[in-house]
Amino acid sequence: MKRIAIALLLLPVLVPIPGLAAPATRALEGERDQWYALYSGGTKAGYFHERLEKDGGKWISITEMSLSISRLGQPMTVVQKSRITEDASGRVLSFEARTTMGSMEQKTTGKVEGGKIHLVQMGMESTVDYPEGALGPAAVYRLCREAGLEPGTKIEAVSFLAEAPTRKVVQTLEVGAREKKDVLGRVLLLHAVTVTNSLLPIRARIWVDRSWNAWVMEMDVPVLGRLSMFATEKEVALAKSEPAEVFASSLAAPDRA
C-alpha cells in the first residue's frame, strides 16, 4: 500500500492540468492527441500521453503515464491510466482509473446517474454523491481558454479526478508573464501559469501558448524531486527511459556523528 500511495501522490497534479497538449493533431476543434517526455531530476524516466476526442455530444479524455523508478537499485514502473466521459456541459457521465506498480494494481470505475456515482473500487461497490460543481477535463480546458491569458488572471475550477471521485478538488490557475522556455532544444515564448489544487500542497508551473496548450510542466514532488514534462513526438516520448532513484535522494545527510 505504501507503493500505491507514492503513485497516487502524482495524480492530483498530473491529471487535472487543463490543456496539457501541444497544438492539436486532430481536425475537429478541441480534439487533440499529444505525447510528453517525462523527466525526473534531469533523467528521462517515462512518458505522459493525453488524448481528447469528441463523440457526438460527449467528450472523452484519455490519459496514460508511465514512470520508471528505482529504490536502492530495484527498478519498478508505475503506470497510471484514466478515461473520463463528460457531456457538453462538462458533467462527468462515466470514468475509469487504473494504477499499477509492479504486481500491485488499484482500479476504480464509476457511472454517474441522478447526482450519484455508482462506484466500484478494489472490487467493492458503493453509491456516493457526485462532487458538487465538478467538471471534466474538456470543460476545464474550455474555461481556461475563455478566461484568456492576461497576466494576473486567476481561474478557479472544481476538477473531477477519476482516481479520487468522491473528493471535491478545487484547482486554481494564476497567469503570469510570458517567458522564454526551452522545449527539448526549441526555445519558445510562452505564458507561465502557476497551478495549485486543494488535494495536495504541491505547486506546479506550466508554460502554455495563446490557445492554452501546454508545452512544458514542472513541479517538485516529495521523494521524486523535480518532475518535468516536455511536449514532443510519440517516438521521443516512448524512447528508452532510465529509472529515477527515489530512495537515496530522500536521505538526509547527518552533519555530525
Side-chain angles (χ1 to χ4, degrees):
M1 292 308 295
K2 289 182 179 179
R3 291 178 177 180
I4 291 293
I6 293 175
L8 292 177
L9 186 64
L10 300 174
L11 296 172
V13 184
L14 289 179
V15 179
I17 291 178
L20 199 58
T25 56
R26 297 292 190 90
L28 295 178
E29 177 66 25
E31 289 196 336
R32 56 184 183 267
D33 189 342
Q34 181 61 45
W35 293 83
Y36 289 81
L38 176 58
Y39 286 76
S40 177
T43 299
K44 184 184 180 300
Y47 65 85
F48 184 85
H49 178 217
E50 182 206 40
R51 188 165 81 248
L52 182 63
E53 56 190 42
K54 194 172 185 180
D55 181 12
K58 302 176 183 178
W59 285 93
I60 301 172
S61 177
I62 302 170
T63 63
E64 178 179 351
M65 185 203 74
S66 177
L67 174 64
S68 296
I69 60 176
S70 176
R71 186 177 184 275
L72 295 181
Q74 297 182 355
M76 181 177 298
T77 299
V78 181
V79 179
Q80 298 170 341
K81 299 180 180 181
S82 72
R83 179 187 178 97
I84 297 177
T85 301
E86 60 190 274
D87 62 20
S89 70
R91 188 174 181 80
V92 173
L93 303 173
S94 63
F95 60 92
E96 178 179 333
R98 187 190 301 264
T99 300
T100 58
M101 198 169 186
S103 60
M104 302 182 67
E105 180 181 82
Q106 181 168 311
K107 181 179 179 181
T108 301
T109 61
K111 291 186 177 181
V112 181
E113 296 178 345
K116 298 289 185 179
I117 302 176
H118 302 288
L119 191 64
V120 180
Q121 283 183 306
M122 304 295 287
M124 300 181 63
E125 298 185 14
S126 62
T127 300
V128 298
D129 292 331
Y130 183 84
E132 184 180 356
L135 299 174
V140 174
Y141 177 53
R142 290 196 302 271
L143 186 65
C144 290
R145 292 192 64 174
E146 292 169 0
L149 283 161
E150 182 69 25
T153 298
K154 186 174 182 179
I155 306 162
E156 286 193 353
V158 180
S159 298
F160 185 89
L161 186 60
E163 292 77 10
T166 62
R167 302 291 295 273
K168 185 173 181 178
V169 182
V170 180
Q171 191 175 31
T172 303
L173 302 98
E174 298 183 54
V175 180
R178 298 177 75 189
E179 300 176 358
K180 289 183 178 180
K181 197 65 179 175
D182 189 324
V183 187
L184 298 180
R186 182 182 180 186
V187 179
L188 301 176
L189 186 59
L190 302 167
H191 295 270
V193 180
T194 301
V195 184
T196 57
N197 71 72
S198 59
L199 196 57
L200 282 176
I202 296 178
R203 180 177 300 233
R205 295 193 78 199
I206 58 175
W207 284 264
V208 304
D209 60 23
R210 66 184 64 183
S211 296
W212 271 93
N213 298 310
W215 288 81
V216 181
M217 188 216 69
E218 293 179 356
M219 63 180 173
D220 293 316
V221 179
V223 180
L224 293 175
R226 171 65 60 87
L227 283 182
S228 304
M229 292 200 299
F230 302 90
T232 187
E233 294 79 19
K234 178 179 179 180
E235 293 74 16
V236 176
L238 294 178
K240 184 179 179 181
S241 299
E242 297 293 334
E245 176 59 53
V246 300
F247 184 76
S249 61
S250 67
L251 298 177
D255 60 359
R256 55 187 176 277

